Amino acid sequence: MKQFNDNDRALTEALRALAAEDAGLAASNAVEAGLLGEVRSMARARRRRLAIAALAAAAGLVIAAAVPWRRSAGNAPAGPQPTTSVPHGGEVATAFFPLTYSSLPISNAQLIRVQVPRSALASFGLAPIDVPAGARGTASTTVPADVLVGEDGVARAVRFVSPTP
Amino acid sequence: MDRASSSDAALIGAIRRGDEEAFARLYAAYQAPIFRYALHMCGAGAADDVVQETFLGLLRGGRFDADRGTLAGYLFGIARHHILKRLAVMRLEEAGDADRIVEAAAPDEPSPFDDLSRTEAVAAVRAAIQSLPPVYREIITLCELEELDYAAAAGVVECPVGTVRSRLHRARALLHSKLTSVRSAPALRHIGEVTR
């Protein structure tokens, strides 16, 4: 029994010696560098997502502001625009309607999908019937719209979208 | 949730927000144990890759829950997943002929380390660990070399604590058996006599 205990202790000591010898082992610096690159990339993607969310919020505000402006200016198009363009598979959209700052030069434009009040249709000269049924919003209070936003965060144009009937 | 777990969760939250310093701290704390675990399980050629895959797993949507265990245990668990894929061991529990070898061990024989210097003993143990079946190599690495307690090791290998205890007992017996059989080989015995 004593021999067994001695052997067990010797094995434990040998294992501890091995652990101590290996204590300094570590992954190569290239692994850490690669992972830090991944963290940076994730941070960039996160900032981009936040920026897009902020742009979408800004675009919504601009549209909300544009609606009364178009009403007071009385410059709505004479007739409703036909819904003939196809922005994505399975969707149809109106033509783009210029917004207040449509004349400003635009660069790095992004198309941002937002929900706008249904009342916005009228201010662009559209009756609800001019936007196919799917675009009227399930609760009939909002419709989906694509807002063209420049990198300056200013919305230039908007179009209303609906699924293909 | 204790303070350490809370701190780990906060660290991961900061990393997900892109805090490089938080990641560097977490990496510095855990990469070496994961590296050594991978080294013992699948060799130097794969250890770096396992470390990389483990931390990428954490970064890309790993769902660490501080209420369910420690961050160390969580990372060892991810690493184990990648190690098993590399070993292509579908059922680690199949220990082959290990039991027969354990039964053949004679615990009352003289210590296999009697004639060895410390360096030789370490080399002999390292080689003996490498020759163990993965299921025992893993438990020796986690419990003896990385000093995880039984509960933590059970969490990593997803088995009851009692299984960890019995597996470790068998692993040690098997290790002793292998060391004894190697030491009884004439060439090694000769080395022991020369270096004494």
Side-chain angles (χ1 to χ4, degrees):
Chain A
M1 189 62 190
K2 180 179 181 303
Q3 184 68 53
F4 175 80
N5 287 338
D6 286 348
N7 286 348
D8 203 49
R9 196 177 309 118
L11 179 59
T12 299
E13 283 170 8
L15 286 165
R16 283 184 187 154
L18 173 60
E21 187 167 298
D22 286 356
L25 294 178
S28 70
N29 292 338
V31 175
E32 182 173 15
L35 290 167
L36 278 172
E38 178 73 12
V39 174
R40 275 183 214 115
S41 160
M42 286 171 56
R44 275 197 300 274
R46 178 183 157 82
R47 281 196 294 272
R48 208 161 38 235
R49 280 196 304 273
L50 289 174
I52 287 175
L55 284 175
L61 287 173
V62 168
I63 289 174
V67 168
W69 172 76
R70 288 182 67 92
R71 278 181 181 151
S72 62
N75 59 350
Q81 303 293 311
T83 56
T84 53
S85 64
V86 181
H88 306 293
E91 288 183 343
V92 292
T94 65
F96 274 102
F97 293 93
L99 294 173
T100 312
Y101 299 105
S102 60
S103 57
L104 291 177
I106 188 168
S107 60
N108 292 332
Q110 292 192 57
L111 209 54
I112 297 168
R113 176 65 56 88
V114 296
Q115 294 287 327
V116 297
R118 201 168 172 216
S119 59
L121 291 172
S123 70
F124 287 93
L126 295 173
I129 198 166
D130 296 322
V131 176
R136 291 178 205 166
T138 50
S140 296
T141 56
T142 62
V143 291
D146 286 338
V147 181
L148 189 66
V149 182
E151 67 178 349
D152 51 8
V154 177
R156 305 304 206 283
V158 63
R159 69 181 176 188
F160 300 96
V161 182
S162 77
T164 307
Chain B
M1 196 189 306
D2 62 21
R3 184 179 294 182
S5 300
S6 169
S7 155
D8 285 343
L11 205 55
I12 288 180
I15 291 167
R16 297 244 165 88
R17 290 190 296 275
D19 185 336
E20 287 183 43
E21 191 187 329
F23 178 78
R25 267 191 291 147
L26 181 139
Y27 184 79
Y30 295 109
Q31 62 88 15
I34 300 293
F35 178 83
R36 291 190 296 261
Y37 174 41
L39 182 69
H40 284 292
M41 292 306 293
C42 45
D48 267 355
D49 289 345
V50 170
V51 171
Q52 177 152 328
E53 286 158 1
T54 299
F55 283 92
L56 277 180
L58 178 72
L59 290 173
R60 294 176 179 169
R63 293 191 180 142
F64 168 63
D65 181 354
D67 291 328
R68 294 177 59 188
T70 64
L71 182 56
Y74 177 72
L75 289 171
F76 271 112
I78 301 178
R80 184 175 194 257
H81 171 74
H82 291 293
I83 286 168
L84 290 185
K85 277 206 294 193
R86 284 176 182 277
L87 289 176
V89 177
M90 300 311 290
R91 283 188 294 176
L92 202 58
E93 287 71 22
E94 289 178 1
D97 62 354
D99 289 348
R100 184 165 47 78
I101 298 171
V102 171
E103 284 162 11
D108 289 337
E109 285 181 2
S111 166
F113 305 109
D114 280 351
D115 299 332
L116 295 181
S117 69
R118 185 178 190 273
T119 306
E120 289 169 333
V122 166
V125 172
R126 189 190 303 280
I129 289 173
Q130 285 306 306
S131 70
L132 289 174
V135 64
Y136 294 127
R137 191 159 80 236
E138 176 175 60
I139 214 69
I140 284 282
T141 302
L142 292 175
C143 294
E144 298 286 3
L145 302 182
E146 295 307 323
E147 299 184 344
L148 265 62
D149 60 34
Y150 290 163
V156 173
V157 302
E158 298 173 330
C159 71
V161 170
T163 304
V164 168
R165 197 174 281 124
S166 64
R167 203 175 276 179
L168 183 59
H169 178 76
R170 281 174 181 273
R172 287 180 61 98
L174 184 56
L175 202 53
H176 185 273
S177 165
K178 283 177 176 290
L179 287 163
T180 303
S181 65
V182 169
R183 285 289 292 144
S184 62
L188 193 57
R189 192 162 55 227
H190 175 68
I191 291 171
E193 286 164 3
V194 170
T195 55
R196 189 153 32 159

